Amino acid sequence: MSSTSIDPSRAHESRERRLTLMLLAPALSVVVALLVVPLCWLVWQSVRQDGGFTLAHYARFLHDDVYWMTFLQTFRIAFVVTAATVLLGYPVAYLAAGSSRRTSLLILAMVVLPFWTSVLVRAYAWLILLQRRGLVNGALSDLGLIDHPLILVNNEFGTVIATIHILLPFMVLPLYATMQKIPRELTMAGASLGGTPLHVFLRVFLPLSLPGVVAGMVLVFVLTLGFYITPELLGGGRTYMVSMLVSRNIELYNEWGAASSISIVLLLCVFAIFRLASLLIPFERIMGAR
């Protein structure tokens, strides 16, 4: 065989790679146009001022207390919402995973049902429920539990309650997907070896469900960081999150550079969260890969 002859297997692999790239070209073009280009534009805007290069927009994080207080409040709300959704969502997912198919579908349908309603509509619904003359204060007053209406909206409490309700499905669904893959024979084996239900749950079921917990926590935490409508309506100006800071810089001050720098810092925080999650549990397990 001549030394210049081409290996048929290599030629076949080369054709497969070219075909794969051709098939991926439309999707890659969309990703570049809708994600990469806007991201590059944000970075460029964040380091430009009066036609020149500057880091003044990022320097505001060092001496402007508003920036730090806004980020701290945003992350505090995200932590509270994430912890609450874990406590509320885990029992629901556990019940759905351990029930019959009909009961499981019914539970999941009730969880997914809010997705059919706009976030704006749900936020207004909570505004009506929690206001001074709303259903919650009315019920508590009729039961004789309170003498004066509680202040449940126009503060951080109302924002947290509405955000938990909106993001709870993002915790339940990953948990359910992970729990459904856990073989029931493992818990049965633990019980047959003398383990109590609580012991079997803590030593067998809970560790195996951790990938779903981490996936749900990452989803809820990251989504909470970017919430805008809910804190805007239910916060009453007292709950100030990063998304609102970006909006104010653009709408009131026309400071695109400042808004872009805030967005980039928030994006870096999100990347750090994903990196931390990947160190705790590999993303292959989080996404359910075997």
Side-chain angles (χ1 to χ4, degrees):
M1 180 179 295
S2 173
S3 59
T4 59
S5 61
I6 300 176
D7 188 353
S9 61
R10 292 185 177 179
H12 180 69
E13 291 178 1
S14 178
R15 287 195 299 270
E16 280 192 346
R17 284 196 294 268
R18 289 197 298 269
L19 180 60
T20 302
L21 288 175
M22 292 176 60
L23 293 174
L24 291 176
L28 291 176
S29 301
V30 172
V31 171
V32 170
L34 299 182
L35 181 62
V36 177
V37 172
L39 183 58
C40 293
W41 181 84
L42 273 179
V43 175
W44 182 80
Q45 285 282 348
S46 68
V47 295
R48 299 285 294 180
Q49 188 175 32
D50 299 328
F53 176 83
T54 181
L55 294 177
H57 301 306
Y58 291 98
R60 297 184 183 184
F61 286 90
L62 300 177
H63 56 76
D64 196 335
D65 292 339
V66 173
Y67 280 51
W68 284 107
M69 295 301 294
T70 302
F71 269 83
L72 287 176
Q73 185 172 39
T74 300
F75 274 82
R76 183 176 66 250
I77 291 175
F79 275 116
V80 173
V81 170
T82 302
T85 52
V86 171
L87 295 177
L88 295 174
Y90 198 98
V92 175
Y94 183 81
L95 179 62
S99 302
S100 63
R101 180 173 177 81
R102 179 177 297 180
T103 305
S104 177
L105 290 176
L106 178 61
I107 295 173
L108 292 178
M110 295 174 64
V111 171
V112 178
L113 186 63
F115 277 131
W116 298 350
T117 308
S118 169
V119 174
L120 181 62
V121 173
R122 281 179 277 174
Y124 271 114
W126 277 108
L127 187 62
I128 295 173
L129 289 172
L130 299 177
Q131 62 183 341
R132 293 177 62 86
R133 297 184 179 180
L135 295 179
V136 174
N137 273 314
L140 293 176
S141 179
D142 293 340
L143 293 174
L145 300 177
I146 57 174
D147 297 327
H148 305 284
L150 301 177
I151 302 176
L152 303 178
V153 290
N154 298 327
N155 52 26
E156 190 173 308
F157 178 81
T159 301
V160 169
I161 293 297
T163 305
I164 291 172
H165 170 250
I166 294 171
L167 295 183
L168 187 59
F170 291 95
M171 178 63 69
V172 174
L173 296 180
L175 281 171
Y176 173 77
T178 301
M179 292 177 180
Q180 202 177 31
K181 296 178 182 179
I182 299 176
R184 298 301 172 209
E185 291 80 5
L186 296 178
T187 56
M188 295 172 61
S192 65
L193 292 174
T196 63
L198 179 60
H199 184 78
V200 172
F201 173 80
L202 294 177
R203 297 294 299 273
V204 179
F205 193 88
L206 182 60
L208 292 175
S209 66
L210 285 181
V213 174
V214 174
M217 290 177 63
V218 171
L219 276 175
V220 172
F221 194 91
V222 171
L223 289 173
T224 305
L225 293 180
F227 252 44
Y228 175 74
I229 295 177
T230 305
E232 183 73 39
L233 291 177
L234 291 146
R238 297 181 178 88
T239 303
Y240 209 63
M241 298 185 68
V242 174
S243 58
M244 301 167 66
L245 185 61
V246 173
S247 175
R248 298 295 189 274
N249 273 285
I250 295 176
E251 294 178 356
L252 298 181
Y253 310 114
N254 197 28
E255 287 281 352
W256 287 87
S260 299
S261 65
I262 297 169
S263 303
I264 294 299
V265 171
L266 182 61
L267 183 62
L268 293 177
C269 292
V270 171
F271 285 155
I273 293 169
F274 278 109
R275 176 58 179 168
L276 179 60
S278 67
L279 293 176
L280 296 175
I281 296 180
F283 274 122
E284 291 78 8
R285 291 188 62 193
I286 292 177
M287 300 308 295
R290 293 290 183 178

